[in-house]
Amino acid sequence: MNRSTLRGKPRPAAALLAAAITVTAFCAADAVARSYPFGPRTRAVNDLGNQYVPFHAHLWDLLHGRADGGLLVNWQSGFGSSFLPDLGTYLSSPFALLVALFPRDEIDLAVYVITVLKTASAGAAMAWLLLRLRPGRWWAAGLLGSAYALCGWSLADASYNPMWLDGLVALPLLCLVGEWALSGRRRLLGVLIVALAWIANFYTAYMATLGAGLLLLLRLWLSGLPRRRALAAAGRATATVALGVGLAAPLVTVVYFGTKHAYPGRVTHFAPVATEDVLARLLPTTYGFGSPALFVGTTALLLALALPFHRAAPVRVRAGWSLLVVAVALSMQWTPTHLAWHAFATPNGSPYRQTFVLCALLVIAAWHTLSYGVPARRALAAATALLALAAAVASRSGLVHSYAWPVLLLATAGALGGLLLLRHTEAPRSTAPAATRAGSLSGAGGGCEPTRSGPATAEIGSAVGAGAAAAGSGPAAGGGAAVGAGVAGVGSVSGVGGGSGAVGIGSGGDGSGSAAGEGPAVSGSVPVAGTGAAAGAGGRRRGVLVGLAVVLLVGAQVGEAAATSAAATRLRLNHLDDYAPWGDRQRGQSEAVSEADGWPAYRTDPGREQTVGNDPMVVGGQGAQYYSSLTADVLSRTLTALGDGWTSRGRNVQSLDNAVTDAIFSVGARVHSPPDQHQRWNPRDSTPVTVSRQDVPPLVTVRPAPAPGARTGVSAFGPSPYRNQELLLGTRVYTVPALTVRTADGEQPERAAGDRAGTVIEVPRTKGSGAQGSRGRTAAASRPSIAAQCPAGSEVYLWAPHFSGTARLTGTPARPLIGRFTSDAAKIAAMQRLGTAPASGRVRIELSPTRTGTVPDGAVGCLDTARLRTAVQRLDETGADEVTVSDGTVRARLPAGSTGTAVLAAPRIAGWRCAADGAETKPAATYYGLVAVPLDGSATSVTCTFHPPGLRLGAAVGGASLLTLVLLGTLTAVRRRRSARHPALRTAGTTATRPRERTTSAL
């Protein structure tokens, strides 16, 4: 990029530089950490592996026409889940569409590329915003833009929650919308940007909107505008946001109502972290899941800390920005404002999701510091002292590791060295003759001038000249001498929207001004061009020094950001669950599912041994497994009542390998895989992937009508999952025997306290009080056991939701299955099949607990497979003859004369409406948690359609917003046309404004 390009387009140049630095540091960090795709370590931790990658895989299938379902219903997960709320939560970003360009088996790479592009776009947007707020060096704007994109929140939190990165991109764009509202420009574009931000991710867009609103209020205060004009600008901004959110309403309302119908999960209460932990997160390479990641780079932090001491900046600017940063920082630690930041609900997980707003304010404050010239040595010394004080307090935090100190020292040395070199290049310019100096800007400070007239209040307007837009009339990056003449508008200044921006056209394109009537970057000199060899030598020397300063500052930024990202990547693997990227395991499962798939005649479950929390979306099939922030309450409660397990406090329901539930939900094929070998705690197993099949009823069956007044909702379920399964099946198929539970010592265990009826199972003590046996290991004691009497040949199941460990049948001729159970505060274990009862019927289950747990009364169920086959045959004979499924519509052709209740094997989530034959559709009934339609004997078909709650309301709001926007656009066009036809109306009242005059001196 040559100098002439930079002179004409400093903002694009700054944006490109910010994106380049961001991509370089981000990828270098993953290479250093040996993380995917640059190394063997996976980056798919927590929700990245469990949710974001699977949802993007499902989007790939949708875009290529291979998904089971559409935009309304996802038939692959949760036996039929509402997809539009998930789309609005995880996939509505425009970047998400890029997955279609990648191969299906490179879905992890697609998500990684999208993450990098989002982060780079955030840096580019911030760089553009900085030059819009204040003129200054383009490369400095690019550097600080990358500091924002590579902030601690982005690297430590949002990098594995890529949907949050849309908020990182949205914040500077929304701030630009505020600037346009301030100047009364680009109203349509502003509305579209707000709409796009709220569509991409409404959660972080809400926080970004609050942050942009705070910045706009500060800008209004700094501008000194009359109250009427300030209120008009605020009104324009409010209308822009309202119309933009209104356009996004069809998606936002669907997500909102989806949260209302979601399983509640955990209710948390906010507890602010210690001050030393907050200060520690300002430093590079620190990491902590529950603390605010405030790192923005040492350069940006030093400049932000130097602002209160920077005398070249107006007092209002120094006070306003410093107070705003402090106020937002304090608001993160106070519960009422914490709730306001998070839409009045403390989130599960990280409680500081608004941190990126404070990072943005730190970067913008740093830019204001630099735009008034590099701070003097005293100001930099004061900032360094504050940084040292913060580091001293942070040293008491456990989040600071030993390697943080050398990184901090090197980054501080690079930042101070670069800033001092820049300061040195500015020093000769400050001694220019007084005759060449433009006047100082008074009043606005922040860049927007008030409208004033008269000699007593006249202000100097835009200083236009070579390098004049740079802070302190600093030199160009290339070091060329400034050439040009100052231009000053004296007298009445038209204020916001009436002035013209100061645009640096010096060698190297050192600045770009605001279009909102900005003043010069700093009170100072507009130097007259030097001639002769001395001037050329001085310019070359300044160019070398500036180049060295840029190298130091960029090097410090890239180095500490890469170190911080690499440290976070490595430390996350020690604190969070991680999952392998697509590989041989997923490929084998996908092939097995594809061969067995028979949807919608029957479902194919990808298996109990899950790889991630959303296996059906990754490898295919149609199972119970589903993990989302919007997991329906009715789904979670129904499957829990049937003996299923879950994690994430009920929002990650698992596959249930049970013959009865397979019959209920029409699961005709089931994939069986060995435990995921990526997880260290799983037993080593190399058995191949297999598929089992069974005859099951169709997706729509006919059941007897419930008794009048009988409860048929989820609340009708009792405490025993075996009896609940029989309730849905319609037939008694289980024997639930009395149990005899014994401890490892053969004694009767204690009863469980509280609501959990059952016995306590403790980890057995080892023999010899821990003494080592002859083979060098502790000899194990006998294990706890459960004894019961089952019918010979029946299948034995164990239901122990709050037990952790393994269980197996003993004394059976066949090789028993080993059931693995896991439970804690956020998990319950699923019912599991252990094998077949012997001819004697005496069943003994040996338990190997890994922690203290409980076994409930009625934990063992003995399934009569012959009765189950009879029940399945009866349901098949009376069930639908044909079932067709297309996105949110299910049609079933029934045998003539069917009476009772038609039951669709899908959870009765809010939004289902059904009708028999051609009757009017009504909200679907519920049959113990499933979709149901009453039959009177005359209907030969049923049709059920799904519309997510909130879609109609959102469409109405969106339509009204669109109509309002069209009317406003039409009125604006009419006014412009009338103004063009009657020039006298346009020029009336403007004669008091003096035209700009080209002058060579301000005096």
Side-chain angles (χ1 to χ4, degrees):
M1 187 174 292
N2 56 41
R3 292 183 178 180
S4 61
T5 301
L6 297 180
R7 285 197 299 267
K9 299 180 179 179
R11 293 180 192 171
L16 288 175
L17 178 62
I21 294 175
T22 299
V23 172
T24 300
F26 195 99
C27 294
D30 288 329
V32 169
R34 302 184 65 205
S35 176
Y36 180 90
F38 302 102
R41 291 190 177 93
T42 179
R43 67 184 304 268
V45 298
N46 263 32
D47 291 347
L48 179 60
N50 269 329
Q51 291 182 310
Y52 304 118
V53 171
F55 274 112
H56 280 82
H58 187 69
L59 178 63
W60 191 99
D61 291 336
L62 275 175
L63 295 174
H64 289 83
R66 289 174 43 179
D68 294 327
L71 293 177
L72 299 180
V73 178
N74 169 17
W75 287 106
Q76 295 182 248
S77 303
F79 291 138
S81 59
S82 178
F83 182 65
L84 199 56
D86 284 332
L87 178 73
T89 302
Y90 301 103
L91 299 171
S92 52
S93 170
F95 291 93
L97 298 174
L98 296 175
V99 296
L101 304 179
F102 291 79
R104 180 61 165 77
D105 58 359
E106 294 290 350
I107 193 66
D108 296 272
L109 179 62
V111 174
Y112 181 82
V113 171
I114 289 172
T115 301
V116 174
L117 288 177
K118 284 185 179 182
T119 310
S121 298
M126 177 56 75
W128 195 287
L129 171 66
L130 295 179
L131 285 173
R132 180 64 177 80
L133 292 174
R134 290 281 303 166
R137 295 176 174 85
W138 69 270
W139 59 263
L143 177 67
L144 291 178
S146 69
Y148 168 70
L150 297 169
C151 67
W153 180 87
S154 170
L155 299 177
D157 295 334
S159 62
Y160 69 95
N161 292 282
M163 68 176 185
W164 293 354
L165 288 172
D166 292 292
L168 194 73
V169 179
L171 178 55
L173 295 179
L174 293 175
C175 291
L176 278 173
V177 172
E179 292 297 302
W180 297 336
L182 199 61
S183 58
R185 304 171 60 221
R186 298 177 180 172
R187 298 179 184 179
L188 175 61
L189 181 59
V191 171
L192 295 179
I193 287 177
V194 172
L196 185 61
W198 279 73
I199 289 173
N201 185 251
F202 83 99
Y203 185 56
T204 51
Y206 165 79
M207 302 174 190
T209 303
L210 293 182
L214 292 174
L215 186 142
L216 177 62
L217 291 176
L218 177 60
R219 293 279 288 167
L220 287 172
W221 180 70
L222 292 175
S223 68
L225 288 172
R227 179 178 301 178
R228 183 175 180 180
R229 296 182 60 190
L231 291 176
R236 287 193 296 268
T238 302
T240 300
V241 171
L243 289 174
V245 175
L247 290 179
L251 201 59
V252 173
T253 54
V254 166
V255 176
Y256 172 78
F257 281 98
T259 61
K260 294 300 181 182
H261 294 286
Y263 189 77
R266 180 182 63 171
V267 177
T268 58
H269 300 282
F270 174 68
V273 299
T275 302
E276 55 265 28
D277 289 342
V278 175
L279 295 178
R281 299 308 303 276
L282 287 167
L283 307 181
T285 71
T286 57
Y287 175 80
F289 179 76
S291 57
L294 294 170
F295 167 79
V296 290
T298 306
T299 301
L301 183 58
L302 282 173
L303 288 171
L305 293 175
L307 180 57
F309 311 101
H310 192 22
R311 295 186 176 181
V315 174
R316 286 166 66 91
V317 171
R318 288 186 280 165
W321 284 103
S322 300
L323 289 175
L324 180 60
V325 169
V326 172
V328 171
L330 293 176
S331 73
M332 296 170 62
Q333 294 286 84
W334 189 38
T335 299
T337 46
H338 158 84
L339 292 174
W341 279 112
H342 293 93
F344 302 97
T346 296
N348 291 321
S350 173
Y352 290 98
R353 301 182 181 183
Q354 80 281 35
T355 304
F356 72 100
V357 176
L358 181 55
C359 292
L361 294 178
L362 285 170
V363 168
I364 296 173
W367 173 249
H368 276 77
T369 302
L370 197 58
S371 71
Y372 287 99
V374 178
R377 294 178 183 269
R378 291 183 178 179
L380 288 177
T384 305
L386 288 177
L387 177 59
L389 178 61
V393 176
S395 64
R396 299 179 297 176
S397 171
L399 304 179
V400 181
H401 300 275
S402 58
Y403 49 77
W405 302 116
V407 175
L408 176 62
L409 290 175
L410 288 174
T412 303
L416 287 176
L419 292 174
L420 289 174
L421 282 175
L422 279 182
R423 177 71 182 177
H424 181 70
T425 63
E426 291 181 354
R429 295 177 174 236
S430 64
T431 60
T436 66
R437 295 181 183 172
S440 63
L441 175 66
S442 63
C448 296
E449 298 177 327
T451 302
R452 299 178 183 177
S453 61
T457 59
E459 297 181 6
I460 304 301
S462 301
V464 183
S473 300
V483 181
V487 180
V490 183
S492 176
V493 182
S494 60
V496 179
S500 64
V503 181
I505 56 173
S507 177
D510 244 10
S512 176
S514 167
E518 297 224 9
V522 62
S523 303
S525 59
V526 180
V528 178
T531 57
R540 285 191 295 272
R541 181 174 179 273
R542 283 194 297 273
V544 171
L545 293 178
V546 170
L548 181 58
V550 173
V551 170
L552 286 173
L553 294 173
V554 173
Q557 176 69 34
V558 171
E560 64 178 330
T564 301
S565 180
T569 299
R570 296 291 296 272
L571 291 172
R572 275 198 300 265
L573 292 175
N574 298 331
H575 294 280
L576 304 176
D577 295 335
D578 61 272
Y579 307 90
W582 179 278
D584 292 338
R585 176 180 175 84
Q586 293 90 334
R587 189 175 296 108
Q589 290 174 327
S590 180
E591 291 173 356
V593 168
S594 179
E595 292 176 1
D597 193 21
W599 175 259
Y602 59 86
R603 287 184 168 106
T604 301
D605 194 303
R608 167 73 194 151
E609 291 291 348
Q610 66 183 45
T611 306
V612 296
N614 277 302
D615 276 349
M617 285 191 275
V618 177
V619 300
Q622 311 85 26
Q625 194 187 58
Y626 178 48
Y627 180 26
S628 168
S629 298
L630 303 169
T631 300
D633 180 81
V634 63
L635 170 67
S636 186
R637 295 188 186 278
T638 300
L639 292 181
T640 301
L642 298 178
D644 197 11
W646 44 251
T647 63
S648 299
R649 294 176 172 84
R651 292 189 173 182
N652 184 358
V653 292
Q654 301 172 347
S655 174
L656 181 57
D657 190 354
N658 178 275
V660 178
T661 54
D662 282 352
I664 292 170
F665 290 101
S666 190
V667 178
R670 176 173 290 276
V671 176
H672 302 274
S673 306
D676 184 10
Q677 301 300 286
H678 176 79
Q679 306 300 343
R680 296 182 298 275
W681 54 80
N682 281 338
R684 301 302 93 183
D685 190 341
S686 58
T687 56
V689 175
T690 60
V691 178
S692 63
R693 299 174 182 269
Q694 68 174 3
D695 294 330
V696 293
L699 202 63
V700 177
T701 56
V702 178
R703 313 297 182 87
R711 294 185 304 163
T712 57
V714 178
S715 61
F717 286 128
S720 171
Y722 304 112
R723 299 306 179 216
N724 294 336
Q725 290 180 13
E726 292 171 342
L727 194 62
L728 264 174
L729 183 67
T731 305
R732 180 63 62 91
V733 293
Y734 280 109
T735 298
V736 182
L739 306 181
T740 302
V741 183
R742 290 292 181 261
T743 66
D745 299 327
E747 299 176 354
Q748 185 173 354
E750 297 179 358
R751 296 288 298 176
D755 298 333
R756 298 176 185 173
T759 55
V760 177
I761 303 297
E762 296 181 341
V763 179
R765 291 188 290 269
T766 57
K767 293 182 179 180
S769 300
Q772 297 298 312
S774 59
R775 295 186 179 181
R777 66 178 66 180
T778 302
S782 59
R783 296 180 174 87
S785 63
I786 302 173
Q789 186 72 29
C790 285
S794 60
E795 287 190 349
V796 179
Y797 286 85
L798 177 63
W799 171 64
H802 302 289
F803 170 74
S804 288
T806 60
R808 69 183 184 92
L809 284 178
T810 62
T812 58
R815 181 182 177 182
L817 301 173
I818 297 179
R820 293 184 294 113
F821 297 76
T822 302
S823 70
D824 56 28
K827 306 172 185 175
I828 64 170
M831 174 191 299
Q832 296 199 44
R833 185 169 67 92
L834 299 183
T836 305
S840 64
R842 290 191 294 271
V843 173
R844 183 178 182 274
I845 301 174
E846 187 178 79
L847 305 177
S848 299
T850 56
R851 66 173 68 184
T852 299
T854 60
V855 171
D857 299 334
V860 175
C862 312
L863 175 63
D864 187 328
T865 55
R867 288 185 179 181
L868 177 61
R869 284 193 296 270
T870 302
V872 169
Q873 184 178 3
R874 183 172 61 254
L875 289 174
D876 184 51
E877 292 173 352
T878 60
D881 297 326
E882 181 184 6
V883 178
T884 59
V885 179
S886 60
D887 193 3
T889 301
V890 178
R891 293 183 176 88
R893 184 163 53 84
L894 303 177
S898 296
T899 59
T901 302
V903 177
L904 170 63
R908 179 31 180 114
I909 56 178
W912 279 109
R913 298 179 65 86
C914 298
D917 281 344
E920 181 183 358
T921 61
K922 298 179 180 179
T926 179
Y927 187 82
Y928 304 108
L930 304 186
V931 178
V933 187
L935 301 174
D936 58 6
S938 62
T940 58
S941 67
V942 294
T943 301
C944 293
T945 57
F946 180 80
H947 295 281
L951 182 59
R952 290 184 176 86
L953 174 61
V957 174
S961 299
L962 181 60
L963 179 61
T964 302
L965 193 62
V966 170
L967 291 176
L968 291 177
T970 303
L971 289 176
T972 301
V974 170
R975 288 179 179 178
R976 287 178 179 175
R977 181 171 297 182
R978 291 183 60 187
S979 179
R981 291 179 179 177
H982 305 283
L985 296 177
R986 183 176 53 194
T987 59
T990 61
T991 56
T993 302
R994 295 186 182 182
R996 293 177 177 266
E997 299 177 1
R998 179 171 295 277
T999 61
T1000 57
S1001 173
L1003 301 177

